[in-house]
Amino acid sequence: MSKLFYKPEDGWLADVIPFYEDGEFKLLYLKDWRDREGHGEGTPWFLLGTRDFIHYKEYGEVLPRGGVSEQDLYIYTGCVLKKDGLYHIFYTGNNFHYPAEGKAQQAVMHAVSSDFVHWEKRPEDAFYAPTEGYEEHDWRDPFVFWNEEAGEYWMLLAARLKEGPAGRRGCVALCASKDLTGWEVRDPFWAPYLYTTHECPDLFRMGDWWYLLYSTFSDRTVTHYRMSRSLQGPWLAPENDALDTRAFYAAKTWTDGERRYAFGWNPTREGEHDGGTWQWGGHLVVHEIVQGADGALLVKVPDTLNAAFNKESALSFTEVLGRWKFSGSTAAVTATDSFAGAYAGLLPDGACKLEATITFAAGTRGCGIILRTDQEFGQGYMIRLEPGRNRIVVDQWPRKGDVPYAIGMERPLPLLPGTPCSLSVYLEDQVCVVYVNGEIALSTRLYDFKQGGKGLFVSEGSAEFRFSQFEMQIHSNPDQERG
């Protein structure tokens, strides 16, 4: 199967547990059919393989859920590692029915495999939150790594302390083991009293820095990160501490030995419309993570995905509002006290990439790209630079409700007059991901306007655009695909 943003044909993809071996990313993921009547209750793990984030091989279910009376009715997030030729999965066994029966809702559980496809559960290795310091029903999302300094395995967990303000008890718990079987619960790895919980913790080292990733739903629903020179902390917040927007969640990372990637999911919305409540699960989105000069993490499109868009489409601009100057792929306008728009033709039916390098003048209030618009700019989705606020936002026109932009769809971005800003927009069906200057990502969903064209706009100011459109042109990879 070839997809820009993967989802299973008969369901939805949620938390991804990545691993890399022999040139292939092996992506374990939580599958949700959203069909309890047809598929029963619970969440299993399925396996997906890819070498390029475009071609995917579906291996099917590899870690089945337990029954209604078992701890792992819902198999939630975990991790995978290899030791002495044997693969180990540590995962969350979750059963919503257990608290009413006086049992802990969540436990850390263990499974092993010799081939990564067939897994043997080891229920005797399950362990629970110690009730003297932690809330018993929050003990999930284990992440295990070998701590070279300590000479032992460490496990990070999403947990909650028993004491403190109810909405700030979230912590990253710490357990240690010599043999991956018995685990000693230690003092929390990080307990900042900032969030309700720290979901899907992930840890890696790059250069001189350690990075701790986690996802929250307290102040914002995003994947955050902190950085430290030492595993003992302190864990410092960079100026921009999120990898993406509300529409990229539960990200976990892995490396192929040269590059590191973040694997998250772009959530669907209830009722499949722009005002619907965000749901659990959706489509896979993969970012490459790179390290900035100051140690902060930057986000860019994976090279293999970008290279697939190698078919450039011819463009023809039409003036809609304002007095534009067109020359080849360049468009410019001055609209000092008004709105100006130029139409650039219909969007293709399939996946596409739009590139725009925008240079704006001092005093410009807004400029950018509009998607799925009509030829009069009466509707559409705006990807707008706002220099006065140093941010990029996704907006909808006409707006619905008293909101200045789509809630949760903004990223901080330094914007300077006369300094070019490069946007790369990847669009397939409802999923849209924008990369800016090869440094930040903005993911979103586009539901209400399903068709239309593309255009450029300036609001109260002046700007010049260099604009291009590319379509995906890839060849089937029979060694990677099945089904």
Side-chain angles (χ1 to χ4, degrees), residues 2-6 20 25 27 49-56 254 256 260-263 284 286-288 301-305 472 480:
S2 301
K3 290 288 289 183
L4 178 55
F5 306 113
Y6 176 87
Y20 181 84
F25 276 99
L27 307 179
T50 183
R51 297 178 185 272
D52 56 11
F53 311 128
I54 300 167
H55 299 90
Y56 290 94
W254 205 265
D256 62 4
R260 182 167 290 272
Y261 300 92
F263 302 83
L284 173 66
V286 183
H287 300 317
E288 182 179 345
V301 63
D303 289 345
T304 52
L305 194 151
M472 183 181 284
Q480 184 70 67

PDB file of all heavy atoms in Angstrom, residues 2-6 20 25 27 49-56 254 256 260-263 284 286-288 301-305 472 480:
ATOM      1  N   SER A   2       0.555   2.194  -0.862  1.00  0.00           N
ATOM      2  CA  SER A   2       1.301   3.450  -0.947  1.00  0.00           C
ATOM      3  C   SER A   2       0.405   4.593  -0.464  1.00  0.00           C
ATOM      4  O   SER A   2      -0.673   4.807  -1.006  1.00  0.00           O
ATOM      5  CB  SER A   2       1.749   3.718  -2.383  1.00  0.00           C
ATOM      6  OG  SER A   2       2.551   2.667  -2.850  1.00  0.00           O
ATOM      7  N   LYS A   3       0.852   5.281   0.564  1.00  0.00           N
ATOM      8  CA  LYS A   3       0.078   6.379   1.119  1.00  0.00           C
ATOM      9  C   LYS A   3       1.012   7.447   1.653  1.00  0.00           C
ATOM     10  O   LYS A   3       2.095   7.168   2.160  1.00  0.00           O
ATOM     11  CB  LYS A   3      -0.808   5.887   2.267  1.00  0.00           C
ATOM     12  CG  LYS A   3      -1.958   5.005   1.841  1.00  0.00           C
ATOM     13  CD  LYS A   3      -3.046   5.785   1.123  1.00  0.00           C
ATOM     14  CE  LYS A   3      -3.801   6.683   2.066  1.00  0.00           C
ATOM     15  NZ  LYS A   3      -4.924   7.396   1.400  1.00  0.00           N
ATOM     16  N   LEU A   4       0.559   8.683   1.525  1.00  0.00           N
ATOM     17  CA  LEU A   4       1.283   9.788   2.135  1.00  0.00           C
ATOM     18  C   LEU A   4       1.078   9.777   3.646  1.00  0.00           C
ATOM     19  O   LEU A   4       2.020   9.947   4.420  1.00  0.00           O
ATOM     20  CB  LEU A   4       0.798  11.103   1.520  1.00  0.00           C
ATOM     21  CG  LEU A   4       1.388  12.398   2.044  1.00  0.00           C
ATOM     22  CD1 LEU A   4       2.898  12.396   1.960  1.00  0.00           C
ATOM     23  CD2 LEU A   4       0.817  13.585   1.259  1.00  0.00           C
ATOM     24  N   PHE A   5      -0.165   9.556   4.081  1.00  0.00           N
ATOM     25  CA  PHE A   5      -0.509   9.459   5.494  1.00  0.00           C
ATOM     26  C   PHE A   5      -1.285   8.160   5.697  1.00  0.00           C
ATOM     27  O   PHE A   5      -2.456   8.073   5.343  1.00  0.00           O
ATOM     28  CB  PHE A   5      -1.333  10.675   5.943  1.00  0.00           C
ATOM     29  CG  PHE A   5      -0.677  11.996   5.641  1.00  0.00           C
ATOM     30  CD1 PHE A   5      -1.229  12.856   4.705  1.00  0.00           C
ATOM     31  CD2 PHE A   5       0.493  12.362   6.277  1.00  0.00           C
ATOM     32  CE1 PHE A   5      -0.627  14.080   4.414  1.00  0.00           C
ATOM     33  CE2 PHE A   5       1.107  13.575   5.996  1.00  0.00           C
ATOM     34  CZ  PHE A   5       0.543  14.438   5.056  1.00  0.00           C
ATOM     35  N   TYR A   6      -0.652   7.166   6.284  1.00  0.00           N
ATOM     36  CA  TYR A   6      -1.215   5.826   6.347  1.00  0.00           C
ATOM     37  C   TYR A   6      -2.345   5.709   7.384  1.00  0.00           C
ATOM     38  O   TYR A   6      -2.292   6.296   8.458  1.00  0.00           O
ATOM     39  CB  TYR A   6      -0.124   4.813   6.690  1.00  0.00           C
ATOM     40  CG  TYR A   6      -0.666   3.416   6.874  1.00  0.00           C
ATOM     41  CD1 TYR A   6      -0.825   2.564   5.788  1.00  0.00           C
ATOM     42  CD2 TYR A   6      -1.058   2.970   8.132  1.00  0.00           C
ATOM     43  CE1 TYR A   6      -1.353   1.293   5.947  1.00  0.00           C
ATOM     44  CE2 TYR A   6      -1.590   1.704   8.307  1.00  0.00           C
ATOM     45  CZ  TYR A   6      -1.738   0.864   7.215  1.00  0.00           C
ATOM     46  OH  TYR A   6      -2.278  -0.382   7.381  1.00  0.00           O
ATOM     47  N   TYR A  20      13.544  -0.248  14.504  1.00  0.00           N
ATOM     48  CA  TYR A  20      14.231  -0.281  13.200  1.00  0.00           C
ATOM     49  C   TYR A  20      15.218  -1.430  13.167  1.00  0.00           C
ATOM     50  O   TYR A  20      15.991  -1.633  14.108  1.00  0.00           O
ATOM     51  CB  TYR A  20      14.968   1.032  12.953  1.00  0.00           C
ATOM     52  CG  TYR A  20      15.694   1.092  11.616  1.00  0.00           C
ATOM     53  CD1 TYR A  20      15.010   1.453  10.455  1.00  0.00           C
ATOM     54  CD2 TYR A  20      17.041   0.761  11.526  1.00  0.00           C
ATOM     55  CE1 TYR A  20      15.653   1.499   9.231  1.00  0.00           C
ATOM     56  CE2 TYR A  20      17.702   0.813  10.300  1.00  0.00           C
ATOM     57  CZ  TYR A  20      17.000   1.178   9.159  1.00  0.00           C
ATOM     58  OH  TYR A  20      17.646   1.218   7.943  1.00  0.00           O
ATOM     59  N   PHE A  25      11.644   0.110   9.060  1.00  0.00           N
ATOM     60  CA  PHE A  25      10.978   0.553  10.274  1.00  0.00           C
ATOM     61  C   PHE A  25       9.798  -0.362  10.521  1.00  0.00           C
ATOM     62  O   PHE A  25       8.911  -0.496   9.672  1.00  0.00           O
ATOM     63  CB  PHE A  25      10.513   2.006  10.149  1.00  0.00           C
ATOM     64  CG  PHE A  25      11.584   3.001  10.473  1.00  0.00           C
ATOM     65  CD1 PHE A  25      12.296   3.622   9.449  1.00  0.00           C
ATOM     66  CD2 PHE A  25      11.887   3.307  11.785  1.00  0.00           C
ATOM     67  CE1 PHE A  25      13.294   4.534   9.745  1.00  0.00           C
ATOM     68  CE2 PHE A  25      12.885   4.227  12.082  1.00  0.00           C
ATOM     69  CZ  PHE A  25      13.595   4.837  11.064  1.00  0.00           C
ATOM     70  N   LEU A  27       6.640  -0.782  12.643  1.00  0.00           N
ATOM     71  CA  LEU A  27       5.764   0.107  13.395  1.00  0.00           C
ATOM     72  C   LEU A  27       4.620  -0.693  13.992  1.00  0.00           C
ATOM     73  O   LEU A  27       3.665  -1.067  13.297  1.00  0.00           O
ATOM     74  CB  LEU A  27       5.232   1.218  12.495  1.00  0.00           C
ATOM     75  CG  LEU A  27       6.285   2.024  11.719  1.00  0.00           C
ATOM     76  CD1 LEU A  27       5.610   3.084  10.856  1.00  0.00           C
ATOM     77  CD2 LEU A  27       7.296   2.656  12.669  1.00  0.00           C
ATOM     78  N   GLY A  49       5.174  -2.292   8.302  1.00  0.00           N
ATOM     79  CA  GLY A  49       6.567  -2.114   7.942  1.00  0.00           C
ATOM     80  C   GLY A  49       6.733  -1.105   6.821  1.00  0.00           C
ATOM     81  O   GLY A  49       5.900  -1.027   5.918  1.00  0.00           O
ATOM     82  N   THR A  50       7.794  -0.319   6.872  1.00  0.00           N
ATOM     83  CA  THR A  50       8.074   0.629   5.798  1.00  0.00           C
ATOM     84  C   THR A  50       9.578   0.906   5.732  1.00  0.00           C
ATOM     85  O   THR A  50      10.265   0.904   6.752  1.00  0.00           O
ATOM     86  CB  THR A  50       7.308   1.949   5.980  1.00  0.00           C
ATOM     87  OG1 THR A  50       7.568   2.819   4.862  1.00  0.00           O
ATOM     88  CG2 THR A  50       7.713   2.668   7.266  1.00  0.00           C
ATOM     89  N   ARG A  51      10.048   1.150   4.518  1.00  0.00           N
ATOM     90  CA  ARG A  51      11.441   1.535   4.313  1.00  0.00           C
ATOM     91  C   ARG A  51      11.567   2.982   3.866  1.00  0.00           C
ATOM     92  O   ARG A  51      12.670   3.511   3.784  1.00  0.00           O
ATOM     93  CB  ARG A  51      12.088   0.604   3.273  1.00  0.00           C
ATOM     94  CG  ARG A  51      12.139  -0.849   3.724  1.00  0.00           C
ATOM     95  CD  ARG A  51      12.736  -1.755   2.652  1.00  0.00           C
ATOM     96  NE  ARG A  51      12.674  -3.158   3.066  1.00  0.00           N
ATOM     97  CZ  ARG A  51      13.605  -3.778   3.788  1.00  0.00           C
ATOM     98  NH1 ARG A  51      14.695  -3.113   4.162  1.00  0.00           N
ATOM     99  NH2 ARG A  51      13.476  -5.042   4.143  1.00  0.00           N
ATOM    100  N   ASP A  52      10.431   3.617   3.554  1.00  0.00           N
ATOM    101  CA  ASP A  52      10.511   4.962   2.978  1.00  0.00           C
ATOM    102  C   ASP A  52       9.369   5.883   3.401  1.00  0.00           C
ATOM    103  O   ASP A  52       9.284   7.014   2.924  1.00  0.00           O
ATOM    104  CB  ASP A  52      10.552   4.876   1.451  1.00  0.00           C
ATOM    105  CG  ASP A  52       9.361   4.114   0.870  1.00  0.00           C
ATOM    106  OD1 ASP A  52       8.392   3.831   1.613  1.00  0.00           O
ATOM    107  OD2 ASP A  52       9.399   3.797  -0.342  1.00  0.00           O
ATOM    108  N   PHE A  53       8.454   5.418   4.279  1.00  0.00           N
ATOM    109  CA  PHE A  53       7.293   6.198   4.738  1.00  0.00           C
ATOM    110  C   PHE A  53       6.307   6.502   3.613  1.00  0.00           C
ATOM    111  O   PHE A  53       5.494   7.423   3.726  1.00  0.00           O
ATOM    112  CB  PHE A  53       7.737   7.498   5.432  1.00  0.00           C
ATOM    113  CG  PHE A  53       8.802   7.289   6.461  1.00  0.00           C
ATOM    114  CD1 PHE A  53       9.966   8.033   6.443  1.00  0.00           C
ATOM    115  CD2 PHE A  53       8.643   6.332   7.457  1.00  0.00           C
ATOM    116  CE1 PHE A  53      10.962   7.829   7.393  1.00  0.00           C
ATOM    117  CE2 PHE A  53       9.634   6.118   8.407  1.00  0.00           C
ATOM    118  CZ  PHE A  53      10.794   6.872   8.375  1.00  0.00           C
ATOM    119  N   ILE A  54       6.353   5.706   2.560  1.00  0.00           N
ATOM    120  CA  ILE A  54       5.401   5.814   1.458  1.00  0.00           C
ATOM    121  C   ILE A  54       4.801   4.442   1.147  1.00  0.00           C
ATOM    122  O   ILE A  54       3.588   4.288   1.055  1.00  0.00           O
ATOM    123  CB  ILE A  54       6.062   6.381   0.188  1.00  0.00           C
ATOM    124  CG1 ILE A  54       6.623   7.772   0.457  1.00  0.00           C
ATOM    125  CG2 ILE A  54       5.070   6.440  -0.978  1.00  0.00           C
ATOM    126  CD1 ILE A  54       7.554   8.271  -0.615  1.00  0.00           C
ATOM    127  N   HIS A  55       5.674   3.435   0.985  1.00  0.00           N
ATOM    128  CA  HIS A  55       5.225   2.064   0.785  1.00  0.00           C
ATOM    129  C   HIS A  55       5.132   1.383   2.148  1.00  0.00           C
ATOM    130  O   HIS A  55       6.061   1.476   2.950  1.00  0.00           O
ATOM    131  CB  HIS A  55       6.203   1.290  -0.102  1.00  0.00           C
ATOM    132  CG  HIS A  55       6.362   1.865  -1.476  1.00  0.00           C
ATOM    133  ND1 HIS A  55       7.312   2.811  -1.773  1.00  0.00           N
ATOM    134  CD2 HIS A  55       5.680   1.614  -2.627  1.00  0.00           C
ATOM    135  CE1 HIS A  55       7.218   3.129  -3.059  1.00  0.00           C
ATOM    136  NE2 HIS A  55       6.242   2.417  -3.589  1.00  0.00           N
ATOM    137  N   TYR A  56       4.009   0.695   2.390  1.00  0.00           N
ATOM    138  CA  TYR A  56       3.801   0.041   3.671  1.00  0.00           C
ATOM    139  C   TYR A  56       3.436  -1.426   3.472  1.00  0.00           C
ATOM    140  O   TYR A  56       2.653  -1.768   2.585  1.00  0.00           O
ATOM    141  CB  TYR A  56       2.691   0.741   4.459  1.00  0.00           C
ATOM    142  CG  TYR A  56       3.093   2.115   4.950  1.00  0.00           C
ATOM    143  CD1 TYR A  56       2.794   3.259   4.199  1.00  0.00           C
ATOM    144  CD2 TYR A  56       3.783   2.265   6.142  1.00  0.00           C
ATOM    145  CE1 TYR A  56       3.181   4.517   4.646  1.00  0.00           C
ATOM    146  CE2 TYR A  56       4.165   3.519   6.597  1.00  0.00           C
ATOM    147  CZ  TYR A  56       3.861   4.642   5.842  1.00  0.00           C
ATOM    148  OH  TYR A  56       4.247   5.884   6.284  1.00  0.00           O
ATOM    149  N   TRP A 254      12.272   6.960  16.933  1.00  0.00           N
ATOM    150  CA  TRP A 254      13.279   5.912  16.742  1.00  0.00           C
ATOM    151  C   TRP A 254      14.239   6.382  15.661  1.00  0.00           C
ATOM    152  O   TRP A 254      13.925   7.318  14.911  1.00  0.00           O
ATOM    153  CB  TRP A 254      12.639   4.578  16.358  1.00  0.00           C
ATOM    154  CG  TRP A 254      13.514   3.408  16.747  1.00  0.00           C
ATOM    155  CD1 TRP A 254      14.414   2.764  15.965  1.00  0.00           C
ATOM    156  CD2 TRP A 254      13.561   2.770  18.020  1.00  0.00           C
ATOM    157  NE1 TRP A 254      15.026   1.757  16.671  1.00  0.00           N
ATOM    158  CE2 TRP A 254      14.530   1.742  17.944  1.00  0.00           C
ATOM    159  CE3 TRP A 254      12.900   2.975  19.233  1.00  0.00           C
ATOM    160  CZ2 TRP A 254      14.847   0.905  19.019  1.00  0.00           C
ATOM    161  CZ3 TRP A 254      13.208   2.147  20.308  1.00  0.00           C
ATOM    162  CH2 TRP A 254      14.160   1.132  20.192  1.00  0.00           C
ATOM    163  N   ASP A 256      17.253   5.267  12.537  1.00  0.00           N
ATOM    164  CA  ASP A 256      17.820   4.249  11.652  1.00  0.00           C
ATOM    165  C   ASP A 256      19.340   4.206  11.770  1.00  0.00           C
ATOM    166  O   ASP A 256      20.021   3.557  10.978  1.00  0.00           O
ATOM    167  CB  ASP A 256      17.401   4.505  10.198  1.00  0.00           C
ATOM    168  CG  ASP A 256      17.898   5.847   9.662  1.00  0.00           C
ATOM    169  OD1 ASP A 256      18.625   6.555  10.389  1.00  0.00           O
ATOM    170  OD2 ASP A 256      17.535   6.188   8.520  1.00  0.00           O
ATOM    171  N   ARG A 260      16.731  10.502  13.063  1.00  0.00           N
ATOM    172  CA  ARG A 260      15.699  10.162  14.044  1.00  0.00           C
ATOM    173  C   ARG A 260      14.353  10.707  13.559  1.00  0.00           C
ATOM    174  O   ARG A 260      14.272  11.823  13.048  1.00  0.00           O
ATOM    175  CB  ARG A 260      16.036  10.726  15.429  1.00  0.00           C
ATOM    176  CG  ARG A 260      15.003  10.364  16.497  1.00  0.00           C
ATOM    177  CD  ARG A 260      15.511  10.644  17.888  1.00  0.00           C
ATOM    178  NE  ARG A 260      16.570   9.717  18.276  1.00  0.00           N
ATOM    179  CZ  ARG A 260      16.361   8.539  18.849  1.00  0.00           C
ATOM    180  NH1 ARG A 260      15.125   8.114  19.090  1.00  0.00           N
ATOM    181  NH2 ARG A 260      17.381   7.769  19.187  1.00  0.00           N
ATOM    182  N   TYR A 261      13.320   9.892  13.753  1.00  0.00           N
ATOM    183  CA  TYR A 261      11.985  10.243  13.285  1.00  0.00           C
ATOM    184  C   TYR A 261      10.989  10.183  14.435  1.00  0.00           C
ATOM    185  O   TYR A 261      11.129   9.364  15.354  1.00  0.00           O
ATOM    186  CB  TYR A 261      11.541   9.295  12.175  1.00  0.00           C
ATOM    187  CG  TYR A 261      12.448   9.315  10.963  1.00  0.00           C
ATOM    188  CD1 TYR A 261      13.508   8.419  10.845  1.00  0.00           C
ATOM    189  CD2 TYR A 261      12.250  10.243   9.945  1.00  0.00           C
ATOM    190  CE1 TYR A 261      14.348   8.448   9.745  1.00  0.00           C
ATOM    191  CE2 TYR A 261      13.091  10.272   8.834  1.00  0.00           C
ATOM    192  CZ  TYR A 261      14.137   9.377   8.746  1.00  0.00           C
ATOM    193  OH  TYR A 261      14.976   9.408   7.652  1.00  0.00           O
ATOM    194  N   ALA A 262       9.979  11.048  14.372  1.00  0.00           N
ATOM    195  CA  ALA A 262       8.884  11.044  15.333  1.00  0.00           C
ATOM    196  C   ALA A 262       7.638  10.507  14.640  1.00  0.00           C
ATOM    197  O   ALA A 262       7.272  10.978  13.556  1.00  0.00           O
ATOM    198  CB  ALA A 262       8.624  12.451  15.866  1.00  0.00           C
ATOM    199  N   PHE A 263       6.991   9.533  15.272  1.00  0.00           N
ATOM    200  CA  PHE A 263       5.815   8.876  14.713  1.00  0.00           C
ATOM    201  C   PHE A 263       4.607   9.232  15.572  1.00  0.00           C
ATOM    202  O   PHE A 263       4.509   8.824  16.733  1.00  0.00           O
ATOM    203  CB  PHE A 263       6.008   7.362  14.690  1.00  0.00           C
ATOM    204  CG  PHE A 263       7.220   6.911  13.906  1.00  0.00           C
ATOM    205  CD1 PHE A 263       8.480   6.909  14.501  1.00  0.00           C
ATOM    206  CD2 PHE A 263       7.105   6.508  12.596  1.00  0.00           C
ATOM    207  CE1 PHE A 263       9.599   6.503  13.789  1.00  0.00           C
ATOM    208  CE2 PHE A 263       8.221   6.102  11.868  1.00  0.00           C
ATOM    209  CZ  PHE A 263       9.464   6.101  12.467  1.00  0.00           C
ATOM    210  N   LEU A 284      -1.363   8.119  10.269  1.00  0.00           N
ATOM    211  CA  LEU A 284       0.039   8.230  10.650  1.00  0.00           C
ATOM    212  C   LEU A 284       0.681   9.459  10.020  1.00  0.00           C
ATOM    213  O   LEU A 284       0.519   9.726   8.828  1.00  0.00           O
ATOM    214  CB  LEU A 284       0.800   6.977  10.188  1.00  0.00           C
ATOM    215  CG  LEU A 284       2.321   6.981  10.343  1.00  0.00           C
ATOM    216  CD1 LEU A 284       2.711   6.993  11.819  1.00  0.00           C
ATOM    217  CD2 LEU A 284       2.933   5.778   9.624  1.00  0.00           C
ATOM    218  N   VAL A 286       4.656  11.206  10.010  1.00  0.00           N
ATOM    219  CA  VAL A 286       6.048  10.991  10.397  1.00  0.00           C
ATOM    220  C   VAL A 286       6.849  12.259  10.132  1.00  0.00           C
ATOM    221  O   VAL A 286       6.821  12.796   9.026  1.00  0.00           O
ATOM    222  CB  VAL A 286       6.677   9.820   9.617  1.00  0.00           C
ATOM    223  CG1 VAL A 286       8.107   9.568  10.094  1.00  0.00           C
ATOM    224  CG2 VAL A 286       5.835   8.555   9.751  1.00  0.00           C
ATOM    225  N   HIS A 287       7.552  12.734  11.150  1.00  0.00           N
ATOM    226  CA  HIS A 287       8.463  13.868  11.009  1.00  0.00           C
ATOM    227  C   HIS A 287       9.898  13.404  11.233  1.00  0.00           C
ATOM    228  O   HIS A 287      10.139  12.497  12.040  1.00  0.00           O
ATOM    229  CB  HIS A 287       8.184  14.953  12.057  1.00  0.00           C
ATOM    230  CG  HIS A 287       6.824  15.547  12.019  1.00  0.00           C
ATOM    231  ND1 HIS A 287       6.187  15.891  10.851  1.00  0.00           N
ATOM    232  CD2 HIS A 287       5.972  15.890  13.035  1.00  0.00           C
ATOM    233  CE1 HIS A 287       5.002  16.414  11.142  1.00  0.00           C
ATOM    234  NE2 HIS A 287       4.851  16.427  12.448  1.00  0.00           N
ATOM    235  N   GLU A 288      10.836  14.050  10.552  1.00  0.00           N
ATOM    236  CA  GLU A 288      12.235  13.865  10.914  1.00  0.00           C
ATOM    237  C   GLU A 288      12.607  14.921  11.954  1.00  0.00           C
ATOM    238  O   GLU A 288      12.208  16.085  11.839  1.00  0.00           O
ATOM    239  CB  GLU A 288      13.158  13.986   9.710  1.00  0.00           C
ATOM    240  CG  GLU A 288      14.627  13.751  10.085  1.00  0.00           C
ATOM    241  CD  GLU A 288      15.599  13.843   8.924  1.00  0.00           C
ATOM    242  OE1 GLU A 288      15.147  13.814   7.763  1.00  0.00           O
ATOM    243  OE2 GLU A 288      16.822  13.952   9.180  1.00  0.00           O
ATOM    244  N   VAL A 301      10.357  17.517   6.986  1.00  0.00           N
ATOM    245  CA  VAL A 301       9.758  16.403   6.267  1.00  0.00           C
ATOM    246  C   VAL A 301      10.824  15.342   6.001  1.00  0.00           C
ATOM    247  O   VAL A 301      11.978  15.675   5.707  1.00  0.00           O
ATOM    248  CB  VAL A 301       9.133  16.888   4.945  1.00  0.00           C
ATOM    249  CG1 VAL A 301      10.185  17.452   3.997  1.00  0.00           C
ATOM    250  CG2 VAL A 301       8.357  15.760   4.265  1.00  0.00           C
ATOM    251  N   PRO A 302      10.506  14.052   6.117  1.00  0.00           N
ATOM    252  CA  PRO A 302      11.479  13.017   5.749  1.00  0.00           C
ATOM    253  C   PRO A 302      11.889  13.141   4.281  1.00  0.00           C
ATOM    254  O   PRO A 302      11.052  13.400   3.409  1.00  0.00           O
ATOM    255  CB  PRO A 302      10.717  11.714   6.009  1.00  0.00           C
ATOM    256  CG  PRO A 302       9.688  12.067   7.037  1.00  0.00           C
ATOM    257  CD  PRO A 302       9.280  13.478   6.710  1.00  0.00           C
ATOM    258  N   ASP A 303      13.165  12.946   4.003  1.00  0.00           N
ATOM    259  CA  ASP A 303      13.672  13.115   2.642  1.00  0.00           C
ATOM    260  C   ASP A 303      12.983  12.186   1.649  1.00  0.00           C
ATOM    261  O   ASP A 303      12.704  12.571   0.510  1.00  0.00           O
ATOM    262  CB  ASP A 303      15.182  12.859   2.608  1.00  0.00           C
ATOM    263  CG  ASP A 303      15.975  13.960   3.293  1.00  0.00           C
ATOM    264  OD1 ASP A 303      15.396  15.033   3.541  1.00  0.00           O
ATOM    265  OD2 ASP A 303      17.164  13.737   3.582  1.00  0.00           O
ATOM    266  N   THR A 304      12.700  10.939   2.065  1.00  0.00           N
ATOM    267  CA  THR A 304      12.084   9.987   1.135  1.00  0.00           C
ATOM    268  C   THR A 304      10.684  10.430   0.733  1.00  0.00           C
ATOM    269  O   THR A 304      10.277  10.253  -0.419  1.00  0.00           O
ATOM    270  CB  THR A 304      12.014   8.591   1.766  1.00  0.00           C
ATOM    271  OG1 THR A 304      11.393   8.688   3.056  1.00  0.00           O
ATOM    272  CG2 THR A 304      13.408   8.001   1.923  1.00  0.00           C
ATOM    273  N   LEU A 305       9.963  11.002   1.666  1.00  0.00           N
ATOM    274  CA  LEU A 305       8.614  11.462   1.361  1.00  0.00           C
ATOM    275  C   LEU A 305       8.660  12.672   0.436  1.00  0.00           C
ATOM    276  O   LEU A 305       7.922  12.756  -0.551  1.00  0.00           O
ATOM    277  CB  LEU A 305       7.879  11.794   2.656  1.00  0.00           C
ATOM    278  CG  LEU A 305       6.373  11.981   2.599  1.00  0.00           C
ATOM    279  CD1 LEU A 305       5.757  11.600   3.935  1.00  0.00           C
ATOM    280  CD2 LEU A 305       6.005  13.405   2.249  1.00  0.00           C
ATOM    281  N   MET A 472       2.567  13.520  -6.469  1.00  0.00           N
ATOM    282  CA  MET A 472       3.332  12.342  -6.118  1.00  0.00           C
ATOM    283  C   MET A 472       3.468  11.429  -7.334  1.00  0.00           C
ATOM    284  O   MET A 472       2.499  11.134  -8.024  1.00  0.00           O
ATOM    285  CB  MET A 472       2.660  11.596  -4.968  1.00  0.00           C
ATOM    286  CG  MET A 472       3.436  10.381  -4.482  1.00  0.00           C
ATOM    287  SD  MET A 472       2.612   9.501  -3.128  1.00  0.00           S
ATOM    288  CE  MET A 472       2.968  10.584  -1.747  1.00  0.00           C
ATOM    289  N   GLN A 480       7.920  -4.412  -0.505  1.00  0.00           N
ATOM    290  CA  GLN A 480       7.445  -3.700   0.676  1.00  0.00           C
ATOM    291  C   GLN A 480       5.946  -3.860   0.899  1.00  0.00           C
ATOM    292  O   GLN A 480       5.451  -3.757   2.002  1.00  0.00           O
ATOM    293  CB  GLN A 480       7.783  -2.209   0.547  1.00  0.00           C
ATOM    294  CG  GLN A 480       7.419  -1.374   1.767  1.00  0.00           C
ATOM    295  CD  GLN A 480       8.288  -1.675   2.954  1.00  0.00           C
ATOM    296  OE1 GLN A 480       9.468  -1.408   2.955  1.00  0.00           O
ATOM    297  NE2 GLN A 480       7.714  -2.291   3.967  1.00  0.00           N
TER     298      GLN A 480
END
